[in-house]
Amino acid sequence: MASSNSRKTSDNVNYTVMMPPTPDNQPGGGNVNSSGDKPDGPVSRFRGMRMGGEDGGGGGEGSGKGMNKSNNKSMLMRTQTGDFDHNRWLFESKGKYGIGNAYWQDEDSYDHDTGMSMSDFMDKPWKPITRKVQISGGIISPYRVLIVIRLVALFLFLVWRIQNPNRDAMWLWAISVVCELWFAFSWILDILPKVNPIDRAADLTALKEKFESPSPTNPNGRSDLPGVDIFISTADPEKEPPLVTANTILSIMGCEYPVEKLFIYISDDGGAILTFEAMAEAVEFAKVWVPFCRKHKIEPPNPDSYFNQKNDPTKNKKRPDFVKDRRWIKREYDEFKVRINGLPEVIKKRCAMHNKKEEMKEKMAMKDKNGGVIPPGETIDYNKATWMADATHWPGTWYEPISDHKKGDHAGILQIMSKVPEHDPVMGEADEKKLDFTGIDIRLPMFAYVSREKRPGYDHNKKAGAMNALVRASAILSNGPFILNLDCDHYVYNSMAIREGMCYMMDRGGDRICYLQFPQRFEGIDPSDRYANHNTVFFDGNMRALDGLQGPVYVGTGCMFRRYALYGFNPPRPREYWGIFGQNKKKWGEKEDEGEPLTDHPDLTLPMKFGNSTMFNESIAVAEFQGRPLADHVSVKNGRPPGALLAPRPPLDAPTVAEAIAVVSCWFEDKTEWGDRVGWIYGSVTEDVVTGYRMHNRGWRSVYCITKRDAFRGTAPINLTDRLHQVLRWATGSVEIFFSRNNPALASRRLKFLQRMAYFNVGVYPFTSVFLVVYCFIPAMCNFTGQFIVQTLDTQFLFYLLIITVTLMLISLLEVKWARIGLEELWRNEQFWLIGGTSAHLAAVLQGLLKVIAGIEISFTLTSKSAADDEDDIYADLYVVKWTSLFIMPLTILVVNIFALVIGCSRQIYSVIPQWNKLFGGAFFSFWVLAHLYPFAKGLMGRKGKVPTIVYVWTGLLSITTSLLWISVNPPQDPRAGSSDD
């Protein structure tokens, strides 16, 4: 905190505060010019004046010629006290006070006594548009101290465990010690990157003043903000409903960002006509929805989410026609939904009609060839095509697929559904049939549908390949210097989110930011969040902590990229970190000795092979320049001049669109560096993490943008099976990272030490499952054998265990405090850590090893958004039980621990001299395991009340019978027998 205060003090010292010389703050001394002419000397300025400073206005040096001290001052003195009358002076001089300054009311006036005009008073100090907010020292300091205390206690505990083996059960002791050593290592990897969490804040008012206010370089106050290309990805309309995707598109169009600088692209990797026509319907509805959002400042701009809100829609609405407008637009939206839902039937009827005509043509042709008759046994051979609304064949995937018209084999498609908007606002008019949009800008952002070409024999690289195709197509069509990518079910919840993200990119030092990650927020999660779907511990804890290092990891959606960084280039002014812990920081280019550079890591070489598109290659430098912050202060390096982005964008022409289609062809990436150094990185099912890691490895940094109102919201699978398959995909990608060249252990020196540790933990955490599964069986083994991991419950063992447990609880409480999450969320996260660790993570390790050793590729498919039939219960999917092999291991652990508890109790009951202290240790850890597996057990039971009582009765009888059988086979021994033998 001390460094933060000193920084604020130094910033204030450099500020310049203009104070016009009123009669009571005239500089002492100086020559007097009584002629009334303009003085020749420089104007006096007062430096170092702080808000609420010591000197009200008389401080500073009188470097210029002073004001004539005439009798005017004495005339303005109050008769009783002799004080200067400010109010009278303001009235007689027609002056007024601004923000901390007094200035002349007449903009064109010029004071001959002082030589100052209005332009002098408008000389404002440079103002940052973002700031870094440190976590309170009362929270973070104890947090760090407790981490150190637990590290020491953990070390002493492990030393004691190694030095005090259990001679009666060496195998049990050895297994437990190995597991505990790994858990300690895993905890260190997780906790050390969390020692410096930070918060950030953006100033949207300052952004508007800097980029959208009238100035000498921008006299009309046009927007000088850079363009943003927004990517939406979808692949299968059956599993990703077109209505959900359409609502996402509508929410983006309703964003509060200059319309002419917003460009939307959707990648349909399945080439489905249903998605194409649903997007066309969405654009038609947007013509009334988007102006309605602008007129009434609608939040969120997603119509489905907006109309399903529980709060009062009229709150803070002041226009008298709001209720009428809302009623009309709600009816239009309902009709829009009906049209979207009816599209599959409409398309099939259209195709049947046209195919019937084709069949008739084939029959007529056959009759003409055979004298007006159809030969017996002859069949009519024709292709049942999928038809567009203009009676032409759909170039993508057909309902009855054939060669050139099926998934993985179809032509590239690019359709501009909403043209590039006019540069100037287009105001609406009153319309009796629609809404009154008088004075409302009715323009829509440009929107393009893209489906890349796919052919057999090419590796299309799943989502990463689709994203790279959009990068190239958008570079030709719009070339926005920033790219925001969203999943089709993640919509804009805060219309100011893009502006808030732009604050960080356009601030001083923003040219070194490669991407800006927004937290993921979800809707439709059950109130108890049984399977930790909100994942707040990660998004509000880990990611906020990484923001204090080199930046958060890229998590696949809700991320704004700098296009230039995505092309694989190095950042300006990179730094390298030397020393064991990277404590020595050096600017790149400094030499260790005369001829040797600091690093020669392969990731730091410049990308060279972008493909054979001249238009694309020429766009790279333009995107880099337009993405720079304003050079409006001497401290801003690598900036662009104000007003550089005010010129209108040229309209699209046929050659440009043809070039955009060419760059999404399947052969374009041959012999290029796409997927290797350029764009999204190929070769992993978690291409998002690898792509972000490569940027950090080149020296870029990222920023975590937590907005006051959620920026984006989406959906997450609440079904246990779907959730485990999702976690399986993430964990499998982490195993792939660990066994690839993207392992952080091989990173360059531009990656900070703690950032390297965080990325290393990303690749290592699935391997914890092996030790976790073994450790979950240890309590059962203790109850089966009557032994424990230690010889006796020694006081020193219990003391160390107490310290480790208490410090962990205190650390968790403080983490809850600075991460602003709830204790229940923390507990749900711990529960699912064990559920996922004993199921999906273990399977991921096995799959990863199979891929590395045997070369067996791993394939994942999309899961449906809902599998339940009950439309009345929005959480019905939570109770659907879909069996998967991932259930086997946690179910085995659950059953074995229950049986072991019964057997352990029976052993002590039937023992001659019960040793309850040995049962206590094993029973306690068995309950620990069962408490963590409770959500898993509820998931297996299905809907509450559906499990028959007989199941519980059978379980109890089986447990008692098994325990008695175990006691009869392995009866408890008299502990006195061993002592008598001795």
Side-chain angles (χ1 to χ4, degrees), residues 266-319:
I266 183 168
S267 169
D268 179 15
D269 225 26
I273 189 173
L274 178 58
T275 303
F276 178 85
E277 298 205 1
M279 295 304 101
E281 288 285 352
V283 171
E284 284 300 313
F285 178 67
K287 294 177 181 179
V288 291
W289 170 253
V290 174
F292 169 76
C293 290
R294 292 173 185 157
K295 178 180 180 180
H296 297 290
K297 296 180 173 55
I298 298 300
E299 291 282 9
N302 179 328
D304 189 69
S305 178
Y306 172 70
F307 289 122
N308 287 325
Q309 289 183 122
K310 303 297 183 182
N311 56 354
D312 183 9
T314 63
K315 186 177 181 181
N316 298 326
K317 296 296 183 282
K318 300 177 181 179
R319 283 181 173 263

Side-chain angles (χ1 to χ4, degrees), residues 40 77 329 521 536 549 575 639 649 698 726 741 936 973-974:
D40 298 328
M77 290 291 184
I329 201 72
R521 307 300 187 199
T536 52
L549 302 177
R575 298 186 179 98
R649 189 177 294 268
R698 297 186 193 108
Q726 183 188 57
R741 62 178 286 243
F936 173 78
Q973 298 179 354
D974 188 352

Side-chain angles (χ1 to χ4, degrees), residues 629-640:
L630 285 186
D632 57 349
H633 193 265
V634 293
S635 63
V636 177
K637 300 178 181 179
N638 193 39
R640 61 174 173 86

Side-chain angles (χ1 to χ4, degrees), residues 16-18 43-47 60-61 63-64 116 120 123:
T16 300
V17 180
M18 287 297 302
V43 176
S44 172
R45 300 198 177 203
F46 299 86
R47 293 187 171 272
E61 298 178 1
S63 59
M116 302 183 98
D120 294 301
D123 183 16

Side-chain angles (χ1 to χ4, degrees), residues 135 140 143 190-191 193-199 519 521 534-549 551-552 704 706 812 814-822 825-826 829:
I135 303 296
I140 198 64
Y143 181 75
D190 179 68
I191 201 66
K194 294 182 179 180
V195 296
N196 189 38
I198 63 169
D199 287 323
R521 307 300 187 199
H534 285 299
N535 210 0
T536 52
V537 173
F538 173 75
F539 286 114
D540 292 335
N542 296 66
M543 297 285 273
R544 183 182 264 117
L546 288 177
D547 199 17
L549 302 177
Y704 199 48
I706 302 180
S812 299
L814 289 173
E815 188 171 330
V816 163
K817 189 73 173 176
W818 62 252
R820 302 180 186 90
I821 58 179
E825 293 172 315
L826 183 68
N829 183 78

Side-chain angles (χ1 to χ4, degrees), residues 366 370 374-381:
M366 185 173 293
N370 297 279
I374 299 178
E378 192 74 21
T379 58
I380 308 299
D381 188 16

Side-chain angles (χ1 to χ4, degrees), residues 48-60:
M49 303 291 287
R50 299 176 189 162
M51 296 299 291
E54 300 170 353
D55 193 332

